Amino acid sequence: MLDFLINQYKEASNFQISLEFVAFIFGILSVYFAKKENIWVYPTGLISTVITVYLLYQAKYFGDMTMNFYYSIMSVYGWYKWSTKSTEPDLLISRTSTKEKIIGFGLFILTMIITYFVYVFFDYKLEIPNYIDIFTSGIFFTAMWYMALKKLESWTLWIIGDCIAVPLFAHRGLGMLSLQYLIFTILAVMAYLQWKKILNSYQQV
């Protein structure tokens, strides 16, 4: 495993390795803060996603690049939602309503369509990893929206998407990001259990 990761970076510049490492650290911090319901999930996540946009552009993975651009926008939106207390009541962990499920499915489909046309715009030949990329883009964007609303189902989507992303990034030669998503998967499972416990405590009151 270690040799596999090292071999992927033999031809990488020190600048790329440094950027990927910074994105790796801030990405882990973002998921940790999300698990704790801490608003620092958004500024740390924003640093990670902005760097990742650049790295994926360089690697010509335009679907994931677009997705991380979306993440950056949603991080600003989520930061606002989690910090607004003067005009809204405190945002509490909850489950998605039927209406939110329908909207979430619509976002999933819309994101996949937009991501597909991003590839078309860049005149990029689509292969199986790119179609997987399009699919995970829909999952992750929906998860990000649910996260901004503190919906438990956001973690379910993160877990599914992360499990797909681990081998996908490894296949692309982005070993550090693959390892990051493996850690994301573990943290997402822990976060789901913690948020579910908090939600159950609300229902018992």
Side-chain angles (χ1 to χ4, degrees), residues 95-114:
R95 289 187 177 274
T96 53
S97 63
T98 301
K99 179 181 177 181
E100 288 164 340
K101 283 183 172 67
I102 293 171
I103 294 173
F105 182 72
L107 286 173
F108 169 71
I109 297 298
L110 180 61
T111 302
M112 287 198 297
I113 292 171
I114 292 173

Side-chain angles (χ1 to χ4, degrees), residues 79-94:
W79 196 346
Y80 168 77
K81 289 287 289 184
W82 282 35
S83 63
T84 302
K85 295 182 179 180
S86 58
T87 58
E88 298 182 19
D90 288 348
L91 195 61
L92 300 177
I93 295 171
S94 61

Side-chain angles (χ1 to χ4, degrees), residues 2-16:
L2 185 60
D3 288 339
F4 172 73
L5 290 174
I6 292 173
N7 289 334
Q8 289 183 321
Y9 290 96
K10 282 185 176 179
E11 297 182 4
S13 67
N14 291 334
F15 179 67
Q16 178 188 337

Side-chain angles (χ1 to χ4, degrees), residues 9 49-51 97 112 119 129 134-135 154 156 158 164-165 170 183 186:
Y9 290 96
T49 55
V50 168
I51 293 174
S97 63
M112 287 198 297
Y119 274 111
I134 290 169
F135 179 72
S154 65
T156 304
W158 285 124
I164 297 171
I183 297 172
I186 297 169

Side-chain angles (χ1 to χ4, degrees), residues 160-176:
I160 295 170
D162 290 343
C163 286
I164 297 171
V166 172
L168 187 62
F169 278 114
H171 172 75
R172 291 169 170 175
L174 297 169
M176 205 177 298

